[in-house]
Amino acid sequence: MTTQVRMYDGAPAGSPTAETLDEDRLSLPAWIYQDAEFLEAERELVFRPSWQIVCHLSDIPRAGDYHTLDFLGETICVIRGQDGVPRGFFNVCRHRAARLLDGSSGHCGSRVVCPYHAWTYSLNGDLIGVPERQEFSHMDLRRHGLAAVDLEVYRGFVFIRLGGNGPTVAEMMAPYDNELALYRLEDMVPLGRVTLRERAVNWKNVGDNYSDALHIRVAHPGLTRLFGQGYGVQSRGWVDKMWGALVETPSANLSERLYQKYLPDVEHLPPERKRLWSYYKLWPNIAFDVYPDQFDFMQSIPLSPTRTIIREIAYVLPDSRREMRAVRYLNWRINRKVSLEDKALIERVQHGMASRSYTVGPLGDSEVSLKSFGRRVRDLIPEARLNTRPGAGWFRRSNI
Ligand code: FES
Ligand SMILES: [Fe+2]
C-alpha cells in the first residue's frame, strides 16, 4: 500500500500548485539521516534482526581461531570449534562482564580464558573452569556458558544475527544465488586485511549511493570509461543488483587500460561474466562487489546519526598468474579512486540534508533500489513517512 505524501516544492502548504506524489516515488526524508532517535529505532528494528557479515571460513581455519565484530555497542566473536564448526558469541564474560577476546582477529588456543579472573570457556562456549571454585559452590557451571548469537555460513561467509527470526541469508540471497555460485566463493581466501574507513555521513547514505546507478556516468569518469553507459540495475526481494560489462575501447587512463588488457581468463566463469563487474546489496547494509578477479564485502556500520564505519575486505581464489596479480592491484587502484569520489558525493548529500530547504526528493523510474529500501524502512518504522521530525520521544515513548 502506498500513501500520498506531499513534497515540498516551494508552494505554500495546501496550495493547489503543491505537488503530491505516491510515497514510492519519493526518497526517504532527510531528517531520518541525522536523528539520534531514528537511529535508536533502526538499532532495534533494522539492525538487531539483521544478518551481519563477520568473516570468511578461511579467516578462521584452525580450531581456536576467531574474528570479532564491533556492532551496535556490542562485540561479537566467531570462534572455530574443535569440531571445525564456527560459533558466534557475545564477547563478554559471564562473571563480571569483562571483554574476553581482543582485537579484530586472533587465536585463543584450545579455550577462552577471561583476562580478569580466569574463568575458562571451551570453544563451544561452555564454562569449564572457575578458579576458587569453592567461592561459587552455589553455582551451576552449565548455566553460565557464553551467550550465543545466531550464526549462518553462506557460501563460505560467516554471518551473525543478534536477534529476530526473519529469513536466513540463503533465503534472502536466493534470487541471485545461482549467479554467486559461479564464483566459487567457498574456496576464497582473504587478500589483505579488513579496512575500516570512517565517513561523516548517516549509514543509509552509504547504501543509497552504492546502488545508485544514475550517478555513475556523471560522477565516476573511470567507471564510465570502463563500462560506457551500460550499467544495469535491478531489485529483487532483499537484494539490489547493479552490473556493467567492460568495454573493449582502451581507456585513456593507464590503470584502467592495463586492467582491460591484462584481465586474464577465469575458466570457471561463463563467457558473459568473464569481463563483468556486478554489485549486490543485501538488506540492510552489506554490499558485495563481484569481479572476475576478486570479491569484496563492504558493510556500513553506524557510529552515530552522522558517522559511519565502512568495513571492507577483498577475497580471491588462489591464482599465481602474474596477470592476475597485476589486475588485482589495478582493481584496487581503480576502485580506490571510485571510493574517494563516492566519499565526496555522500558527504555533499549529508551536508545538503541538513538544509531547512530540503525534506524529500523525487525518485526516477530506474531508481528501483532506493524505492525498495524506502519501502522496507517505512514498513519497519512508519515515522519514516513523515517529512519532518516528530516531537522528541516518539520512539522511546512507543517502546516503554
Ligand atoms: S570477569 Fe571474567 S572471570 Fe571475572
Ligand atoms: Fe558511486
Side-chain angles (χ1 to χ4, degrees), residues 93 95-98 114 116-119:
C93 182
H95 178 220
R96 298 282 302 130
C114 178
Y116 200 178
H117 314 95
W119 280 29

Side-chain angles (χ1 to χ4, degrees), residues 191-226:
L191 177 71
R193 299 163 61 87
V194 171
T195 61
L196 299 176
R197 285 175 287 139
E198 190 172 331
R199 296 284 183 259
V201 301
N202 181 268
W203 70 276
K204 295 186 288 302
N205 266 328
V206 178
D208 289 355
N209 172 66
Y210 182 84
S211 47
D212 178 320
L214 285 181
H215 79 287
I216 292 175
R217 70 190 69 131
V218 181
H220 293 308
L223 294 180
T224 306
R225 284 189 294 268
L226 285 174

